[in-house]
Amino acid sequence: MIIGVIGAMIEEIEPLVKDLNLKRKLQKANMEFNEGSLWGNEVVVVKSGIGKVNAAVCTQILIDEFKVDAVINVGVAGGVGNNVYPGDVVIGESLVQHDMDSTAFGERRGQIPRLDTFDFKCDENLVLKAKRACEKMNNSKHFVGRIVTGDQFIADTDKIKWLNEEFDALACEMEGGSVAQVCYLNNIPFVVIRSASDNANNGAHMDYEKFKPIAVNNSVNILKNMLEVM
Ligand code: ADE
């Protein structure tokens, strides 16, 4: 089993690449794919870059070129759920792209027109493994629920309220929903694991810098605990 591991930013994958027993590096679409073994598993670790297009291209390359059997997207997120605070972990149960808007045609916000699903469901088995990994680390709270994705860094109290009410979202970020869509189209199991770096509110960009290292550390540790038992 080969697992593709995607982080959007160098900070999110650096600790993984450091521990990776590297077999091969491949450059494609301005991304560096690091193939090797990590904590007992065959993996390809890659920095996708930020946003949905980068994440989609990256995921499709993992599937086509590396024949990955599953994809795990790790990183930071804005906390949207009422009790989700910086440092807390959100394991995606499903993903929706909150910036997809065809309401002019009567579609629900987030619905991709002419696609046979509203949300993209994470693989139940991977969710369970992520949950078990979280339970082993008793220094942070974890939640399982919906994560929403858009090409926007959310730093607006009204917008987080809306994301929570409209989508029942626990966290917002900028790649997961796109990784999810590509995996859905290719029938590849996936899970998105995010740790909150901020509360997506008016001071989000400041909290983000402060809490990012803690959040990155959390998502890396969960992945480690997960891979060790896979
Ligand atoms: N990633 C981390 N914090 C975020 C936020 N507030 N909005 C979007 N993506 C994020």
Side-chain angles (χ1 to χ4, degrees):
M1 168 139 165
I2 306 169
I3 302 165
V5 180
I6 303 176
M9 302 180 293
I10 187 67
E11 304 90 293
E12 291 167 321
I13 66 147
E14 213 166 28
L16 307 175
V17 176
K18 250 186 19 210
D19 273 10
L20 182 75
N21 193 347
L22 185 72
K23 248 183 13 206
R24 182 168 71 117
K25 255 186 210 281
L26 187 104
Q27 202 86 22
K28 187 149 188 173
N30 204 31
M31 295 168 199
E32 193 169 77
F33 293 81
N34 302 279
E35 198 178 9
S37 58
L38 181 66
W39 305 317
N41 283 268
E42 290 306 303
V43 297
V44 183
V45 180
V46 55
K47 179 194 79 171
S48 63
I50 295 168
K52 292 189 301 175
V53 174
N54 279 326
V57 169
C58 183
T59 308
Q60 192 65 53
I61 293 173
L62 282 173
I63 294 167
D64 289 343
E65 299 271 340
F66 294 92
K67 313 284 179 222
V68 296
D69 302 292
V71 175
I72 303 177
N73 175 216
V74 292
V76 298
V80 172
N82 286 333
N83 301 309
V84 182
Y85 293 108
D88 293 347
V89 173
V90 178
I91 301 163
E93 190 166 53
S94 66
L95 278 290
V96 173
Q97 294 168 20
H98 66 75
D99 57 352
M100 173 55 76
D101 183 356
S102 271
T103 50
F105 292 97
E107 298 278 15
R108 177 178 174 193
R109 281 270 188 146
Q111 174 67 50
I112 297 168
R114 305 185 188 202
L115 197 69
D116 59 353
T117 186
F118 171 69
D119 59 358
F120 301 106
K121 304 224 171 17
C122 295
D123 179 74
E124 279 176 19
N125 196 23
L126 290 173
V127 170
L128 197 67
K129 287 192 166 122
K131 256 176 88 173
R132 289 209 185 110
C134 287
E135 280 155 10
K136 276 201 210 156
M137 324 180 350
N138 36 25
N139 60 342
S140 65
K141 274 190 295 165
H142 68 275
F143 300 85
V144 181
R146 177 165 290 158
I147 298 176
V148 288
T149 302
D151 284 324
Q152 298 160 0
F153 184 88
I154 309 290
D156 176 339
T157 318
D158 290 339
K159 185 102 193 209
I160 46 169
K161 195 163 170 275
W162 178 76
L163 291 174
N164 185 241
E165 285 170 4
E166 181 80 19
F167 300 108
D168 199 18
L170 296 184
C172 63
E173 37 81 307
M174 301 173 76
E175 297 82 22
S178 145
V179 171
Q181 184 179 351
V182 175
C183 286
Y184 176 79
L185 295 175
N186 290 273
N187 207 15
I188 298 282
F190 71 92
V191 67
V192 178
I193 304 163
R194 298 278 179 156
S195 180
S197 52
D198 58 86
N199 270 116
N201 53 15
N202 297 325
H205 61 293
M206 279 150 70
D207 288 345
Y208 175 81
E209 290 307 336
K210 185 166 156 204
F211 289 104
K212 190 171 58 178
I214 299 167
V216 166
N217 199 36
N218 276 343
S219 69
V220 167
N221 279 335
I222 295 162
L223 185 71
K224 182 169 187 192
N225 284 338
M226 253 180 107
L227 290 182
E228 278 171 352
V229 296
M230 273 174 87

